[in-house]
Amino acid sequence: MGTIIERVDVAHGGWRSRHSALRLAVNAATTCLDRAGRSPDDLDLLVNAGIYRDRNLGEPALAAMIQEDIGAHPEDPHTDAHGTFSFDVANGTCGVLTGLQIVDGFLRSRTIRYALVVASDADPGHGMSEDFPFSATGGAVLCSWTDRRYGLGRVHWTNADDDLGGAFRATVGHLDDRNVLRVDQSEWMDARYAAAAAAAVTACLKHTSLQLGDIDRIAAAPARPQFRAELAQRLELPESRITIAADHRMHTAALVAGLDGGDHHAPAGTRTLIVAAGAGVTAGAALYEEPPAPGTPAPS
């Protein structure tokens, strides 16, 4: 039994959405639901894992704004009626994996049927950031439950002390009567992230009693080539075994793009190792086993 991914979609920023994380998240969510044949009102839960928002918005929760814009029960909740619960999580590049873990808990308890994890980042606006390093992108992952043996396994987390100081740091400070976002990335960031990610992978494989040779594909974030190279070296694998987003400047939506890989619908039984690493230093890993396509019998 486990949480299954029904659909994965990515939205790229155009001239209208390049400064709007909200619009990117809404575009990704709407596309994902439409292509999956689901109504926004089918959603019981919406989790937003994006970080960099329009005009450096802190409140209200962006998830509630996304919920309203996609039309997922935007009205006030009614007693004894179906509604959509939404909230934000903040865990950087690991945010989507965190969202999947939270969704898995709700689905496992049978309190919900459908959930959507969204993530998006965009330059907050003219003069509101210094050299914003990430692409304007959004992603959405639609999840449900299966009583078969497929789906998402336990997420294994590791933390490493950032003793070298500031592998990655993003701050918002007051400058010239406005809040300005500054992002600093150290030259050793990818090596620290890869070391933590490798430890998470080791813990995950030990728990599942599998070897790397038993894994069909690895989907990883961040989408930085140097991170992939460092992780491949630590796992003693060819870099080609690790899938990252084609756009190497993606941030919180990078894991969504890595999961998609151009065609999410892999054959039933395909084992994907989902790996993410980010500021903290924090890393997580989980095994995902692909279910059969809807309407097809399970393989014998």
Side-chain angles (χ1 to χ4, degrees):
M1 299 185 293
T3 293
I4 59 171
I5 297 173
E6 288 199 3
R7 179 83 201 180
V8 174
D9 280 283
V10 175
H12 298 277
W15 71 271
R16 293 184 62 190
S17 57
R18 59 193 175 92
H19 290 302
S20 179
L22 173 60
R23 190 183 296 272
L24 286 162
V26 169
N27 289 349
T30 300
T31 300
C32 187
L33 291 169
D34 285 348
R35 291 178 176 174
R38 303 291 181 193
S39 163
D41 282 342
D42 289 336
L43 292 178
D44 302 287
L45 178 64
L46 189 151
V47 179
N48 171 53
I51 295 293
Y52 302 108
R53 308 174 179 181
D54 312 31
R55 303 186 63 80
N56 292 320
L57 175 73
E59 295 180 345
L62 196 66
M65 301 171 69
I66 297 167
Q67 176 188 341
E68 180 176 16
D69 284 1
I70 68 173
H73 297 102
E75 70 282 352
D76 291 337
H78 301 288
T79 304
D80 298 326
H82 181 266
T84 302
F85 182 43
S86 60
F87 56 85
D88 293 341
V89 297
N91 198 15
T93 322
C94 297
V96 168
L97 185 56
T98 302
L100 290 174
Q101 183 180 28
I102 293 169
V103 163
D104 181 67
F106 278 90
L107 287 166
R108 194 170 295 275
S109 67
R110 304 300 203 276
T111 56
I112 65 172
R113 294 183 61 202
Y114 297 104
L116 193 69
V117 178
V118 297
S120 61
D121 299 289
D123 188 321
H126 180 69
M128 304 193 75
S129 68
E130 291 184 351
D131 301 321
F132 188 72
F134 304 118
S135 296
T137 49
V141 183
L142 178 63
C143 301
S144 61
W145 182 260
T146 181
D147 288 327
R148 292 175 168 182
R149 62 177 179 83
Y150 305 96
L152 182 71
R154 174 183 168 187
V155 181
H156 298 263
W157 294 100
T158 63
N159 296 93
D161 291 334
D162 195 5
D163 52 0
L164 295 178
F168 178 93
R169 182 182 291 113
T171 58
V172 176
H174 204 61
L175 178 67
D176 296 332
D177 297 324
R178 69 182 70 189
N179 289 321
V180 177
L181 171 69
R182 297 180 178 87
V183 178
D184 296 307
Q185 304 176 76
S186 72
E187 60 184 14
W188 59 82
M189 181 180 74
D190 291 313
R192 300 301 304 278
Y193 283 9
V201 168
T202 299
C204 182
L205 292 175
K206 181 178 180 180
H207 176 77
T208 55
S209 300
L210 296 173
Q211 304 293 323
L212 281 171
D214 300 317
I215 304 301
D216 298 300
R217 63 189 294 261
I218 300 173
R224 295 165 59 91
Q226 187 58 38
F227 167 74
R228 177 169 63 178
E230 295 274 0
L231 180 59
Q233 181 179 16
R234 283 168 171 76
L235 298 180
E236 299 182 351
L237 292 173
E239 289 183 38
S240 58
R241 287 285 310 279
I242 302 174
T243 301
I244 59 174
D247 181 351
H248 300 153
R249 296 178 64 242
M250 293 180 73
H251 189 51
T252 57
L255 187 59
V256 181
L259 283 169
D260 183 23
D263 181 12
H264 168 69
H265 299 289
T270 298
R271 290 171 174 159
T272 298
L273 191 61
I274 303 173
V275 186
V281 173
T282 299
L287 182 68
Y288 181 78
E289 188 166 352
E290 195 76 28
T296 61
S300 58

